[in-house]
Amino acid sequence: MLYNSLRFIFLYPLLFLFYHTIPARYNSIRNLYLLIVSYALYICWKPTYALVLLFVTAVTYSTARACHHVRRPKLLLFSSVLLAILPLLTFKYLNFINDTLVDIFAFIGFQVHLPGLNWAIPVGISFFTFQAVGYVCDVYKKRIEPENNFLTYALFVSFFPSILSGPINKASLMLPQFNHPRPGLDYNKFVEGMKMVLWGMLMKTVVADRVGIYVDTIMPNYLYYSGLTCFVASLLYTLQIYADFAGYSLMAIGVGKTLGFELTENFRRPYFAVSVTDFWHRWHISLSTWLKDYIYIPLGGSRCSKVRNYWNIFVTFLVSGIWHGANWTFIVWGCMHGVCQIIEKMLGQQKCRYGWLGKTVKILITFLIVNFAWIFFRMPTIGEACGIITSIFDFSQPFTLFYDDLQTLALTFTSVAILFAKDIRDEFFPSRIPLMNSKLLLVRWTTYVVLTLTILLMGVFGADQFIYANF
């Protein structure tokens, strides 16, 4: 379900009300209802996608149940993980592998044609696959007990608030919430959840989709614009992808909260990070946690030699790049983040304290590093990414900034100012100016009304898709 769509605005209140008409003592019926809703919404994208979701669910459920009853559980785990990620590898990476092989053969003088896959990628496949694989690994490591009820486990994998673009929830967090009876409507949770939905909607429609107009105009046609314009477009893309993905995550967590569930936190003001390492403690937290638990630590983590530790970091972020997309640009993006963290660790930057001025400088440097890495994430080829960077540093061009008109420019930078004002307050003055959390009823409702009017007056409602829905 796209939270910025009319379908969500009209359909969710009905789903919500029907859910809360089921008495709390009938927990299994509530879970069954949520499972039916989750699959029904998923089928709306394309019915065959649900078969992939069901396949991954059945494989990981069966493996977890059998894991402690076979002679060679490690072999079973390996086979299960390979089988579970097979749809992901097929749908997302088969064409990339084929194209790479064709290019290699062409380079050595052979012209070959390998059949590709013309089907679209099932939505959310990277998210629910990683979530299911994490569950199997946790059962194998005896961190949790296997879930006996297949329907409850199927709900964990397919839970509709987070299946499209995360967060990637741990079974240890979600399964107890599904298994224990939940009280009726929790007013405080409902209000908190709706605040998250409201702010997430503003991030998506007012910030992400508005600055996205400028980004989509400039970056694909960078050859026709000045270096300053390309640099501003790259900065706005950095803000776009944050507002888009964090906005979705906030709405997903908020919707879960209105139903009485606590989902994993996914963002914590990442552009105030003092290093790339710190950035990954704040950006897509559920993915970075998954990578740490199931890639980095099994490789040896930091409990090994320095060289081996650096290699573990590099491999972890290589996997992160591959996870994000079947393109060399994503691999370069992931490697850049890995290399930067290795350099920071070699220089001991995580232990350095430079006071407020030094912290400000480190935040700016980290922001610029992340910004230039995002250029590779955004562009379709490495050559075009390098082309934009070359344009940015081409000082022979006129120092001019492209914009359509003053009104559009004012709206764009007003939306950015709103985002930064909120994040600055949350980062440095969390107890100051409690607008949505004010004890005064008039202040709270005035804030709600102002935010709603801002969405209606400044929001862009033509861009339905979330960026991370493609992953």
Side-chain angles (χ1 to χ4, degrees):
M1 178 186 292
L2 293 173
Y3 294 122
N4 59 329
S5 66
L6 289 176
R7 178 186 295 177
F8 168 77
I9 294 172
F10 290 110
L11 183 59
Y12 182 69
L14 299 176
L15 300 176
F16 169 83
L17 290 173
F18 191 84
Y19 171 77
H20 282 291
T21 60
I22 303 173
R25 63 180 180 274
Y26 298 123
N27 189 55
S28 59
I29 297 178
R30 278 183 154 194
N31 286 346
L32 179 60
Y33 168 73
L34 289 176
L35 178 62
I36 293 172
V37 168
S38 297
Y39 265 82
L41 293 174
Y42 196 77
I43 286 172
C44 287
W45 293 95
K46 192 172 182 179
T48 52
Y49 289 168
L51 297 177
V52 177
L53 174 62
L54 185 61
F55 173 79
V56 173
T57 302
V59 167
T60 50
Y61 171 80
S62 303
T63 301
R65 294 275 292 157
C67 211
H68 297 156
H69 304 286
V70 297
R71 291 184 178 181
R72 304 176 68 180
K74 193 169 186 177
L75 178 61
L76 177 63
L77 174 69
F78 178 80
S79 302
S80 169
V81 169
L82 186 60
L83 198 58
I85 67 173
L86 185 61
L88 176 63
L89 296 175
T90 302
F91 283 97
K92 195 168 182 178
Y93 301 106
L94 179 62
N95 288 341
F96 171 67
I97 294 171
N98 281 352
D99 292 343
T100 302
L101 290 175
V102 169
D103 290 341
I104 292 173
F105 281 122
F107 180 76
I108 61 177
F110 294 99
Q111 297 297 324
V112 297
H113 174 74
L114 299 174
L117 188 67
N118 294 322
W119 294 356
I121 300 173
V123 291
I125 187 171
S126 297
F127 292 93
F128 68 70
T129 299
F130 269 35
Q131 190 162 289
V133 168
Y135 162 77
V136 173
C137 293
D138 284 344
V139 171
Y140 171 78
K141 292 289 186 179
K142 298 185 178 179
R143 295 170 184 153
I144 60 172
E145 291 296 318
E147 173 58 45
N148 294 322
N149 191 314
F150 177 76
L151 296 181
T152 301
Y153 176 69
L155 176 58
F156 159 69
V157 177
S158 64
F159 193 40
F160 75 88
S162 58
I163 191 172
L164 179 64
S165 295
I168 304 171
N169 299 292
K170 279 183 167 288
S172 58
L173 172 67
M174 297 304 299
L175 287 177
Q177 296 185 68
F178 290 133
N179 281 320
H180 290 94
R182 299 174 293 280
L185 177 63
D186 186 321
Y187 177 77
N188 292 329
K189 275 191 175 183
F190 173 78
V191 171
E192 190 64 28
M194 290 308 298
K195 290 177 186 177
M196 291 180 171
V197 172
L198 181 62
W199 182 251
M201 184 72 77
L202 186 142
M203 291 180 74
K204 169 61 177 172
T205 59
V206 175
V207 183
D209 289 343
R210 179 156 294 283
V211 302
I213 296 173
Y214 192 88
V215 172
D216 293 341
T217 299
I218 305 302
M219 296 191 79
N221 306 293
Y222 67 93
L223 290 172
Y224 302 102
Y225 298 97
S226 68
L228 176 61
T229 298
C230 291
F231 181 59
V232 170
S234 72
L235 293 176
L236 290 179
Y237 179 69
T238 295
L239 299 179
Q240 179 195 8
I241 195 167
Y242 165 54
D244 188 281
F245 192 18
Y248 172 88
S249 294
L250 203 58
M251 285 188 274
I253 295 169
V255 168
K257 197 177 284 283
T258 63
L259 297 171
F261 297 95
E262 298 290 341
L263 275 63
T264 304
E265 180 186 19
N266 220 18
F267 287 87
R268 198 180 300 129
R269 301 169 296 283
Y271 294 147
F272 290 109
V274 295
S275 65
V276 176
T277 303
D278 185 32
F279 173 80
W280 279 98
H281 293 155
R282 296 163 171 262
W283 175 274
H284 204 345
I285 298 171
S286 63
L287 175 64
S288 57
T289 301
W290 194 98
L291 292 170
K292 180 191 72 175
D293 290 345
Y294 306 113
I295 303 293
Y296 178 68
I297 292 177
L299 286 172
S302 59
R303 296 185 177 183
C304 52
S305 67
K306 286 186 178 181
V307 174
R308 178 61 185 273
N309 178 223
Y310 299 154
W311 173 250
N312 294 343
I313 293 171
F314 182 80
V315 171
T316 300
F317 281 89
L318 174 62
V319 172
S320 174
I322 294 172
W323 179 87
H324 277 87
N327 196 322
W328 286 106
T329 53
F330 296 114
I331 294 174
V332 170
W333 172 82
C335 291
M336 288 175 68
H337 278 270
V339 169
C340 285
Q341 292 184 67
I342 292 170
I343 293 172
E344 289 172 356
K345 198 152 192 173
M346 292 173 67
L347 298 176
Q349 286 298 299
Q350 294 305 304
K351 300 177 182 179
C352 294
R353 299 291 182 269
Y354 300 110
W356 70 268
L357 180 59
K359 182 177 181 180
T360 302
V361 172
K362 290 176 72 174
I363 289 173
L364 289 174
I365 292 173
T366 301
F367 180 82
L368 288 173
I369 291 172
V370 171
N371 175 76
F372 279 100
W374 281 132
I375 293 174
F376 286 90
F377 194 94
R378 171 61 175 79
M379 300 307 290
T381 67
I382 295 174
E384 291 181 89
C386 292
I388 285 189
I389 295 173
T390 301
S391 295
I392 290 173
F393 290 100
D394 183 1
F395 300 111
S396 64
Q397 300 182 51
F399 197 71
T400 57
L401 177 64
F402 167 82
Y403 59 90
D404 287 325
D405 54 73
L406 288 175
Q407 181 181 359
T408 302
L409 185 68
L411 288 173
T412 300
F413 283 98
T414 299
S415 69
V416 171
I418 292 171
L419 177 66
F420 266 99
K422 172 70 162 54
D423 274 12
I424 287 172
R425 196 220 69 155
D426 290 348
E427 180 71 16
F428 301 109
F429 315 104
S431 59
R432 304 274 184 91
I433 324 175
L435 297 177
M436 282 198 287
N437 297 316
S438 174
K439 294 181 180 180
L440 299 176
L441 182 66
L442 179 61
V443 174
R444 290 201 310 272
W445 277 97
T446 300
T447 305
Y448 301 155
V449 171
V450 169
L451 291 178
T452 302
L453 289 175
T454 301
I455 292 170
L456 293 175
L457 296 175
M458 291 181 59
V460 177
F461 296 96
D464 292 337
Q465 188 68 281
F466 287 88
I467 293 174
Y468 262 71
N470 297 319
F471 303 119

